[in-house]
Amino acid sequence: MSTFSFRPTRDQFAYTFGGVAPLHTVRPGDVLQLWSEDAFNGAVRSVGDKSAAVIDFRFGNPQTGPFYLAGAEPGDTIVLHIVDLTPARDWGASATIPFFGGMTGNDRTPTMQPALPDTTWIYQVDRAAGTVGFRSRFPRTTGGDADLEIALPLDPMLGTVGVAPAGGEVRSALVPERFGGNMDTPEMRAGTTVYLGVNVEGALFSIGDGHYRQGEGESCGNAVEGAMDSTILVDLIKGGAPGWPRLENDDYWMVVGSARPMEDAWRVAHREMVTWISELLGIHEMDAYQLLTQITRAPIANVVDPNFSVVIKVPKSPFPSASAFGAIHRQLRAQAVALR
Amino acid sequence: MSTFSFRPTRDQFAYTFGGVAPLHTVRPGDVLQLWSEDAFNGAVRSVGDKSAAVIDFRFGNPQTGPFYLAGAEPGDTIVLHIVDLTPARDWGASATIPFFGGMTGNDRTPTMQPALPDTTWIYQVDRAAGTVGFRSRFPRTTGGDADLEIALPLDPMLGTVGVAPAGGEVRSALVPERFGGNMDTPEMRAGTTVYLGVNVEGALFSIGDGHYRQGEGESCGNAVEGAMDSTILVDLIKGGAPGWPRLENDDYWMVVGSARPMEDAWRVAHREMVTWISELLGIHEMDAYQLLTQITRAPIANVVDPNFSVVIKVPKSPFPSASAFGAIHRQLRAQAVALR
Amino acid sequence: MSTFSFRPTRDQFAYTFGGVAPLHTVRPGDVLQLWSEDAFNGAVRSVGDKSAAVIDFRFGNPQTGPFYLAGAEPGDTIVLHIVDLTPARDWGASATIPFFGGMTGNDRTPTMQPALPDTTWIYQVDRAAGTVGFRSRFPRTTGGDADLEIALPLDPMLGTVGVAPAGGEVRSALVPERFGGNMDTPEMRAGTTVYLGVNVEGALFSIGDGHYRQGEGESCGNAVEGAMDSTILVDLIKGGAPGWPRLENDDYWMVVGSARPMEDAWRVAHREMVTWISELLGIHEMDAYQLLTQITRAPIANVVDPNFSVVIKVPKSPFPSASAFGAIHRQLRAQAVALR
Amino acid sequence: MSTFSFRPTRDQFAYTFGGVAPLHTVRPGDVLQLWSEDAFNGAVRSVGDKSAAVIDFRFGNPQTGPFYLAGAEPGDTIVLHIVDLTPARDWGASATIPFFGGMTGNDRTPTMQPALPDTTWIYQVDRAAGTVGFRSRFPRTTGGDADLEIALPLDPMLGTVGVAPAGGEVRSALVPERFGGNMDTPEMRAGTTVYLGVNVEGALFSIGDGHYRQGEGESCGNAVEGAMDSTILVDLIKGGAPGWPRLENDDYWMVVGSARPMEDAWRVAHREMVTWISELLGIHEMDAYQLLTQITRAPIANVVDPNFSVVIKVPKSPFPSASAFGAIHRQLRAQAVALR
């Protein structure tokens, strides 16, 4: 096991999955310490920064990577265990970008109405308290001068984890798909292991889009966006590529499906989970379907990206003897503890 | 406060919201002890009962009610606090009904493929252990004769809580909508308070569709369906009718949106929550939108009914001084404790 | 054959399918001459009439009916042949109603943006020229004072034709569904025969929502709305109830599917057409599916109602020997010619 | 004007938009005579060829191109006028590929049902009669030995016309999007002019996916697929890049929108058409919205590709003095006539 620390320069940022030469080769068992810029490319720094003016939309959601995983071939499974996520700045930013987000006409669901006000919110990080601070930007409806300030728990996550797509495609870093990408689920936090199917030699994975916290759905289109220091354990399973991104933490097995309309994101995730649970428990897919009907959790991840994402979660507690991918999650957790 | 216990005879079951004369008049503050039949009308009782043969689909999802709430007028808010839900039988049933459910072509998303096998699962209730037992119905893929048996925690809920619709409509008890109805969310458990807008004099509310437990999405279309003994506190708030069903428990404020495609269920629930949070905190709707982006939970409720349902949940913990509907939930909880 | 002429008084208007007592009994073979009010209830009469101020939204889309068809029983097929549609006024009206329509946030696809301007357009009917006149309401972008005036061909149609729903449901006259209703397809013009499944004794059919013309989709939510004089031949086929509304004119067999999302409206219409073509040609459903792939036309009907509607059309020309429902359309056309 | 004839070898086929080096440079005014392979890569040649066995799904929908258009820069408009489409073989093929198509569970709308039968249909071209022949593959339901044979009019079209995407993306040739691609609309026939926004220097356009005829929707996923000889006039307009593909023939202005769910395909096409008509007529967008409500035709193009496509068509007849893109369509039509 070796440790690799990397902070990309601005001209090293990747804006797509696929189509970019790898920055570095890593090996199964390596520990990566990666810095990533925020999804705004660091351009939104104060409440006076209006997104339409300061963001260059040709360069959104910069990724740190891609990295070449030695030995990874199409059909294999790349394993990324998130050891730690620490905000790399003392503030995060969010914004209502004109014609972007879930509660406004936008690129794919256009209307003829005018845009919402282009507004920026800055959240201060209080590391000691473990919070980020919301501060209202519009006049209180109750009158009075005071802004509303609310401390919210820090809950760092990565919006984006992905590999190069299949079929020679190159996709914007804004897209969630079979290859992972911009899934924007809060489940992508420290303690989670990600399993992705490898489509090209070396997998060419990258990460980014740090969120200091995010609600399910990421409704306005932007979480508390922030530069992030990520510690990640990399591993490789030969073969076994899942059809859609699988996640695992100490309590749940999870699949992330991404599609439109949202019921199709649910359908692809649920179909993949039927397959997975059927294998884990040695039962017929009809029995797996029935069992899942009674036990899944199904939080929405995003309602704002080119595909919507839904997570299907299955609690492990009723199945103490089952384990996935050779119990690699448990091993990686043990390694992660040793790293701290 | 008076207590009203009621077990409908079969010819008293209601199969619609609206269009049915009230069975009884109740008053704000009353305690209702209601028995409800299961969604199969009690017709599925053993694994040998095939749904296509035993269910009369003209009479699905029988409701207990409607009840006339004295004093309730259009524009008012009916308040139903679920004190207790106890399985009324020692077994529940589930089934894959041909061309019904989320992972098969169905009535609204037809395909040309054949139906899935018409299969029934019976779950035994273990009251002492607090579990229901899943038992596999198809041969194990690992070989061997033994069925897989899995004990799952009991988590009783009501699939259906609703009032008569607006505009003179009468809707099947299978439908979730603005009037509540067949929302099929596990959040509808003991300890939850439901707020529904009143559309007609007396509100004409009913309940039913007991589930001994259910995963989010209710993927095959049927939870662990079972007859239920429900204890419910009824109250009335003059005016204040919410646009969509609102729920509250000790930890969350919630809205249930129901529509197709699923992103529209999310949108209507989220829009209602923006309004609600803006009022609760005295902030501009743009600030509420931003704040919700960072804090909502968004579990799917159902992906199988005529409308899909999504729940938007907001944790109360960051807002200790805010309270909804005059803090009526806290009062009802106190009353509920006294009742036990 | 007898002729029945009817002009409802305002207190006879029906605002739902189902839930209304029949106004009159008719017999197979009868000719009906029916007057219907426009969808605005006649409240929008000049460009100064703002919809939000003048329309009572509790009473939208008034229907003329329902009528009881003697002999019609559940499972039968009611046949309505549209002999003639003539505008009953010399002007029609359209409007952009706040938060209603296809290119604005609305009831089911809400956003946080403000409403579009509440605007009314009045179209003058030129009976001699066979046109309705569009006149612009906003300043020309090219400058100058003159409004743009455009003569558009008259193409009268009925937005709404339907029967009482199944299952005891009562639905708003704004809803298109299996029972017909507010399908809003331009195919519902003179010369078209409509086949609807009967759900209750007497069928209880009604018509309304005259449009002097309409584009496919009815994008802003309102066609050139106008009171209409309709001449309709009524007939009955025992049994044979189609699953979804079927239409026939001299050139096409058609099915109207209504659902959300729009692909599901397409799916239900296409599935019904596979069944129908399979029967008409005596071929396997897989062959019908293949054949339809190469020959269907699929115009959108509406994108603005509670369900979206899509029409699947199959040209009759390649199938000269096939005829539907005992060639009743041809007979009704002959009768219609004799009536003129 | 020069003429360029090209028939790619198999190793010159392109399977993506973007990501492929241009085969040739062409100039505005050039005439291209292009041969294209069918979407099956020529692998389905008889009814005995089962798609799952003979198609290599890594190489679907081969394109002829890309070509570099001299002078084309991002923001420009590439103009492709289809002079002629002639079937290059005497037969075309169609198939129901397992888990592909509009009336089966598939990649994005999975179910747990088994696949439809993997079946191939071969259509013989009768050039003299101008027809392709459907022949049934399954036993007639009416009994008897004879297959049903039906002659259908030839109506050649290109499923795919597109340029390299924006943002460095590379997309499968199966995808319809802003850059054109696999739109699968029957409107893409001889006599149609296509306008696409240029995203990269040289535009890098390609064409393919010839259909000898296709119904709207392409319901089973495959039209009468066939190798095609295409004659195309190429031109360039500096600037003026449309947001979505625009088409024009002698009778209609058209926009093709591609998205999921299908209402979003309608929305993006309709929004683009509001902009276009507003410009063409010099009217406010609200007036354009109102006018389009009364005059658009809205045929579905495909319901089977990664995005669904909808065409918005506006008849030119009410607007004799309006012309688009400097009346270039009329000029190209004149040139096309001269070429024949």
Side-chain angles (χ1 to χ4, degrees):
Chain A
M1 184 201 304
S2 72
T3 296
F4 170 66
S5 295
F6 184 70
R7 177 178 177 137
T9 57
R10 182 159 292 266
D11 63 337
Q12 286 176 316
F13 291 166
Y15 297 98
T16 54
F17 288 93
V20 185
L23 293 172
H24 190 77
T25 295
V26 298
R27 288 190 164 64
D30 281 359
V31 180
L32 308 190
Q33 293 177 330
L34 305 176
W35 180 92
S36 56
E37 182 50 281
D38 69 33
F40 299 130
N41 239 326
V44 178
R45 306 180 76 87
S46 77
V47 295
D49 289 331
K50 297 218 178 233
S51 64
V54 302
I55 299 177
D56 184 340
F57 290 99
R58 296 171 304 171
F59 303 102
N61 207 13
Q63 298 299 299
T64 296
F67 302 102
Y68 185 102
L69 176 59
E73 294 170 302
D76 290 346
T77 304
I78 182 172
V79 184
L80 300 170
H81 178 74
I82 305 176
V83 176
D84 183 68
L85 299 177
T86 299
R89 293 197 182 107
D90 286 333
W91 53 271
S94 193
T96 44
I97 301 174
F99 300 118
F100 180 70
M103 296 300 296
T104 173
N106 54 45
D107 176 61
R108 294 289 141 158
T109 310
T111 74
M112 297 192 54
Q113 296 161 282
L116 295 175
D118 186 343
T119 310
T120 293
W121 287 261
I122 298 294
Y123 292 75
Q124 299 299 326
V125 175
D126 183 333
R127 293 177 194 272
T131 59
V132 286
F134 167 83
R135 182 167 203 158
S136 61
R137 290 291 327 281
F138 289 80
R140 302 290 302 274
T141 56
T142 48
D145 287 348
D147 295 340
L148 180 71
E149 295 186 55
I150 301 284
L152 304 172
L154 264 172
D155 187 9
M157 52 162 278
L158 292 174
T160 317
V161 175
V163 295
E169 284 207 319
V170 174
R171 301 305 308 275
S172 158
L174 298 172
V175 175
E177 252 287 359
R178 284 179 179 274
F179 59 84
N182 193 27
M183 297 174 282
D184 282 325
T185 168
E187 304 293 349
M188 198 69 80
R189 58 170 65 88
T192 294
T193 303
V194 188
Y195 307 94
L196 296 170
V198 173
N199 300 303
V200 302
E201 278 204 13
L204 299 182
F205 69 96
S206 55
I207 63 132
D209 193 22
H211 295 166
Y212 296 172
R213 73 167 288 115
Q214 181 207 300
E216 292 169 356
E218 201 187 7
S219 52
C220 88
N222 296 292
V224 181
E225 309 284 336
M228 193 76 80
D229 289 309
S230 303
T231 306
I232 291 174
L233 269 164
V234 184
D235 217 325
L236 177 67
I237 295 169
K238 295 304 289 182
W244 285 89
R246 295 183 183 179
L247 277 59
E248 183 175 1
N249 64 24
D250 291 353
D251 299 321
Y252 291 97
W253 297 300
M254 298 175 263
V255 175
V256 187
S258 298
R260 290 193 182 200
M262 201 193 291
E263 53 264 37
D264 276 356
W266 177 87
R267 284 182 181 118
V268 295
H270 200 277
R271 187 68 190 80
E272 176 83 8
M273 188 58 92
V274 166
T275 301
W276 196 10
I277 286 296
S278 166
E279 292 167 1
L280 286 177
L281 304 184
I283 55 176
H284 192 280
E285 290 202 337
M286 285 295 294
D287 277 317
Y289 180 31
Q290 169 59 215
L291 183 56
L292 290 178
T293 298
Q294 316 309 348
I295 62 173
T296 52
R297 300 210 177 170
I300 293 168
N302 96 75
V303 193
V304 295
D305 295 323
N307 290 312
F308 301 145
S309 300
V310 167
V311 185
I312 298 292
K313 301 171 66 171
V314 172
K316 297 170 160 184
S317 53
F319 316 102
S321 63
S323 72
F325 292 108
I328 195 170
H329 170 75
R330 206 178 316 154
Q331 302 159 32
L332 291 166
R333 283 288 276 164
Q335 281 180 259
V337 168
L339 281 173
R340 297 211 182 183
Chain B
M1 183 200 304
S2 72
T3 297
F4 170 66
S5 294
F6 184 69
R7 177 177 176 137
T9 57
R10 182 159 293 264
D11 62 338
Q12 287 177 314
F13 292 168
Y15 297 98
T16 54
F17 288 94
V20 185
L23 293 173
H24 190 79
T25 295
V26 298
R27 289 191 163 62
D30 280 359
V31 180
L32 308 190
Q33 292 178 330
L34 304 176
W35 181 92
S36 56
E37 182 50 279
D38 69 32
F40 300 130
N41 240 326
V44 179
R45 305 181 75 87
S46 77
V47 296
D49 289 332
K50 298 220 177 228
S51 63
V54 301
I55 299 177
D56 184 340
F57 290 99
R58 295 171 304 170
F59 303 101
N61 207 13
Q63 299 298 301
T64 296
F67 301 102
Y68 186 101
L69 177 59
E73 296 170 301
D76 290 346
T77 305
I78 181 172
V79 185
L80 299 170
H81 178 74
I82 306 176
V83 176
D84 183 67
L85 298 177
T86 299
R89 292 198 182 106
D90 285 333
W91 54 270
S94 194
T96 45
I97 301 173
F99 300 119
F100 180 71
M103 296 300 295
T104 173
N106 54 44
D107 176 61
R108 294 290 142 159
T109 310
T111 73
M112 297 192 53
Q113 296 160 282
L116 295 175
D118 187 342
T119 311
T120 292
W121 288 260
I122 298 293
Y123 291 75
Q124 298 300 328
V125 175
D126 183 332
R127 292 176 195 271
T131 59
V132 285
F134 167 85
R135 183 169 201 155
S136 61
R137 290 291 326 281
F138 290 79
R140 301 291 302 274
T141 56
T142 48
D145 288 347
D147 295 340
L148 180 70
E149 295 186 54
I150 301 284
L152 304 172
L154 265 172
D155 187 9
M157 53 164 277
L158 291 174
T160 317
V161 175
V163 295
E169 283 207 318
V170 174
R171 301 304 308 275
S172 158
L174 298 171
V175 175
E177 251 285 358
R178 285 180 178 274
F179 60 83
N182 193 26
M183 298 175 281
D184 282 324
T185 168
E187 303 294 349
M188 199 69 80
R189 58 169 66 87
T192 294
T193 303
V194 187
Y195 308 95
L196 296 171
V198 173
N199 300 303
V200 302
E201 279 205 11
L204 298 183
F205 70 96
S206 56
I207 64 134
D209 193 22
H211 295 166
Y212 295 172
R213 70 167 291 117
Q214 182 207 300
E216 292 169 355
E218 202 188 5
S219 52
C220 87
N222 297 294
V224 181
E225 310 285 336
M228 193 74 81
D229 288 310
S230 303
T231 305
I232 292 174
L233 269 165
V234 184
D235 217 326
L236 177 67
I237 296 169
K238 293 305 288 181
W244 286 88
R246 295 182 182 180
L247 277 60
E248 182 174 3
N249 64 22
D250 291 353
D251 299 321
Y252 290 96
W253 298 300
M254 298 175 262
V255 176
V256 187
S258 297
R260 290 192 180 200
M262 201 193 293
E263 53 264 36
D264 276 356
W266 177 87
R267 283 182 182 121
V268 295
H270 200 278
R271 187 67 189 81
E272 176 82 8
M273 189 58 94
V274 166
T275 301
W276 196 9
I277 286 296
S278 166
E279 292 167 2
L280 285 177
L281 304 184
I283 56 176
H284 191 280
E285 290 201 337
M286 285 295 293
D287 277 317
Y289 180 32
Q290 169 59 216
L291 182 57
L292 290 179
T293 298
Q294 317 309 347
I295 61 174
T296 54
R297 302 210 176 168
I300 293 168
N302 96 74
V303 193
V304 295
D305 296 322
N307 290 311
F308 300 145
S309 300
V310 167
V311 185
I312 297 292
K313 301 171 65 172
V314 172
K316 295 170 159 184
S317 54
F319 315 102
S321 64
S323 72
F325 292 107
I328 195 170
H329 171 75
R330 207 177 315 154
Q331 302 160 33
L332 291 166
R333 282 289 275 164
Q335 283 181 257
V337 168
L339 282 173
R340 297 207 184 188
Chain C
M1 184 199 305
S2 73
T3 297
F4 171 66
S5 293
F6 184 70
R7 177 176 176 137
T9 57
R10 181 160 292 266
D11 63 338
Q12 287 177 315
F13 292 167
Y15 297 98
T16 53
F17 288 93
V20 186
L23 294 172
H24 191 78
T25 294
V26 299
R27 290 192 161 61
D30 281 358
V31 180
L32 308 189
Q33 293 178 329
L34 305 175
W35 180 91
S36 56
E37 183 49 281
D38 69 32
F40 299 130
N41 240 325
V44 178
R45 307 181 74 89
S46 77
V47 296
D49 289 331
K50 298 218 179 233
S51 64
V54 301
I55 299 176
D56 184 340
F57 290 99
R58 294 171 304 170
F59 303 101
N61 207 14
Q63 300 297 300
T64 296
F67 302 103
Y68 185 101
L69 176 59
E73 295 170 302
D76 291 345
T77 305
I78 182 171
V79 184
L80 299 170
H81 178 74
I82 306 176
V83 177
D84 183 67
L85 298 177
T86 299
R89 292 197 181 106
D90 286 334
W91 54 270
S94 194
T96 44
I97 300 174
F99 300 119
F100 180 70
M103 296 298 296
T104 174
N106 54 44
D107 176 63
R108 293 289 141 158
T109 311
T111 73
M112 296 193 55
Q113 297 162 281
L116 295 175
D118 186 342
T119 310
T120 293
W121 288 259
I122 299 294
Y123 291 75
Q124 297 300 326
V125 175
D126 183 333
R127 292 178 193 271
T131 58
V132 286
F134 167 84
R135 184 168 200 155
S136 61
R137 290 292 327 280
F138 289 80
R140 303 290 303 274
T141 56
T142 49
D145 287 348
D147 294 340
L148 179 71
E149 296 186 54
I150 301 283
L152 303 171
L154 265 173
D155 188 8
M157 54 163 278
L158 292 174
T160 318
V161 175
V163 295
E169 283 207 320
V170 174
R171 302 303 308 274
S172 159
L174 298 171
V175 175
E177 250 287 357
R178 285 178 178 273
F179 59 85
N182 193 26
M183 298 175 282
D184 282 324
T185 167
E187 304 293 349
M188 198 69 79
R189 58 169 66 89
T192 294
T193 303
V194 187
Y195 308 94
L196 296 171
V198 173
N199 300 304
V200 302
E201 278 205 13
L204 298 183
F205 69 97
S206 55
I207 63 135
D209 193 21
H211 295 165
Y212 295 172
R213 72 166 290 116
Q214 182 207 299
E216 292 169 356
E218 201 188 8
S219 52
C220 88
N222 296 293
V224 181
E225 309 285 336
M228 193 76 80
D229 288 310
S230 302
T231 306
I232 292 174
L233 271 164
V234 183
D235 218 328
L236 177 66
I237 296 169
K238 294 304 289 181
W244 285 89
R246 295 183 182 181
L247 278 59
E248 182 174 3
N249 64 23
D250 292 353
D251 300 320
Y252 290 96
W253 297 300
M254 298 176 263
V255 176
V256 187
S258 297
R260 291 192 181 200
M262 201 193 292
E263 54 263 36
D264 276 355
W266 177 87
R267 284 182 181 119
V268 294
H270 200 277
R271 188 66 189 81
E272 176 83 7
M273 187 58 93
V274 165
T275 300
W276 196 9
I277 286 295
S278 166
E279 292 167 1
L280 285 177
L281 304 183
I283 56 177
H284 191 280
E285 291 202 336
M286 285 296 293
D287 276 317
Y289 180 32
Q290 170 59 213
L291 183 56
L292 290 178
T293 299
Q294 316 309 346
I295 63 174
T296 52
R297 300 208 177 171
I300 292 167
N302 96 74
V303 194
V304 295
D305 295 321
N307 290 312
F308 301 145
S309 300
V310 167
V311 185
I312 297 293
K313 301 171 65 173
V314 172
K316 296 169 159 186
S317 54
F319 315 102
S321 63
S323 74
F325 291 108
I328 196 170
H329 171 74
R330 208 177 315 153
Q331 302 160 33
L332 292 166
R333 282 289 275 165
Q335 282 180 256
V337 168
L339 282 174
R340 296 208 184 185
Chain D
M1 185 201 302
S2 73
T3 297
F4 170 66
S5 295
F6 184 70
R7 176 176 177 139
T9 57
R10 182 159 292 265
D11 63 336
Q12 286 176 315
F13 292 166
Y15 297 98
T16 53
F17 288 92
V20 186
L23 293 173
H24 190 76
T25 295
V26 298
R27 288 190 163 64
D30 280 0
V31 180
L32 308 190
Q33 292 177 330
L34 305 175
W35 180 92
S36 56
E37 184 48 282
D38 68 33
F40 299 130
N41 241 325
V44 178
R45 306 180 75 88
S46 78
V47 296
D49 289 332
K50 298 219 178 233
S51 64
V54 301
I55 299 177
D56 183 341
F57 290 98
R58 294 171 306 169
F59 303 102
N61 207 13
Q63 300 298 299
T64 296
F67 301 103
Y68 185 102
L69 176 59
E73 296 170 301
D76 291 346
T77 305
I78 182 171
V79 185
L80 299 170
H81 177 73
I82 305 176
V83 176
D84 184 69
L85 299 176
T86 299
R89 293 197 182 107
D90 286 332
W91 54 272
S94 194
T96 44
I97 301 173
F99 300 118
F100 180 70
M103 296 298 296
T104 173
N106 54 44
D107 175 62
R108 293 290 142 160
T109 311
T111 73
M112 296 193 54
Q113 296 160 282
L116 295 175
D118 186 343
T119 311
T120 294
W121 289 260
I122 299 293
Y123 291 76
Q124 298 300 326
V125 175
D126 183 333
R127 292 177 194 272
T131 59
V132 287
F134 167 85
R135 184 168 201 155
S136 61
R137 291 290 328 281
F138 289 79
R140 302 290 302 275
T141 55
T142 49
D145 287 349
D147 295 341
L148 179 71
E149 295 187 54
I150 301 284
L152 303 172
L154 264 172
D155 187 8
M157 53 161 279
L158 291 174
T160 317
V161 175
V163 295
E169 283 206 319
V170 174
R171 300 305 306 276
S172 158
L174 298 172
V175 175
E177 250 286 357
R178 285 179 177 273
F179 60 84
N182 193 27
M183 297 175 281
D184 282 322
T185 169
E187 304 293 348
M188 199 69 80
R189 57 170 66 88
T192 294
T193 303
V194 187
Y195 308 94
L196 297 170
V198 173
N199 300 305
V200 302
E201 279 204 12
L204 298 182
F205 69 96
S206 56
I207 63 133
D209 193 20
H211 295 166
Y212 296 171
R213 74 166 288 114
Q214 181 207 300
E216 292 169 355
E218 201 187 8
S219 51
C220 88
N222 296 293
V224 181
E225 309 285 337
M228 194 74 81
D229 288 309
S230 303
T231 306
I232 291 173
L233 268 164
V234 184
D235 217 327
L236 178 66
I237 295 168
K238 294 303 288 181
W244 285 89
R246 296 183 182 180
L247 277 60
E248 183 175 2
N249 65 21
D250 291 353
D251 299 321
Y252 290 97
W253 298 300
M254 298 175 263
V255 176
V256 187
S258 297
R260 289 192 182 201
M262 200 193 291
E263 54 263 37
D264 275 356
W266 177 87
R267 283 182 182 119
V268 295
H270 201 276
R271 188 66 189 81
E272 177 82 8
M273 188 58 93
V274 165
T275 301
W276 196 9
I277 287 295
S278 167
E279 292 166 1
L280 285 177
L281 304 183
I283 56 176
H284 191 280
E285 290 201 337
M286 285 295 293
D287 277 316
Y289 180 32
Q290 169 61 214
L291 183 56
L292 291 177
T293 297
Q294 316 309 346
I295 62 173
T296 53
R297 300 209 178 171
I300 292 168
N302 97 74
V303 193
V304 294
D305 295 321
N307 290 311
F308 300 145
S309 300
V310 168
V311 185
I312 297 293
K313 300 171 66 172
V314 172
K316 295 170 160 183
S317 53
F319 315 101
S321 63
S323 73
F325 291 108
I328 195 170
H329 172 74
R330 207 178 316 155
Q331 302 160 34
L332 291 166
R333 282 288 276 163
Q335 280 180 258
V337 168
L339 282 173
R340 296 207 181 186

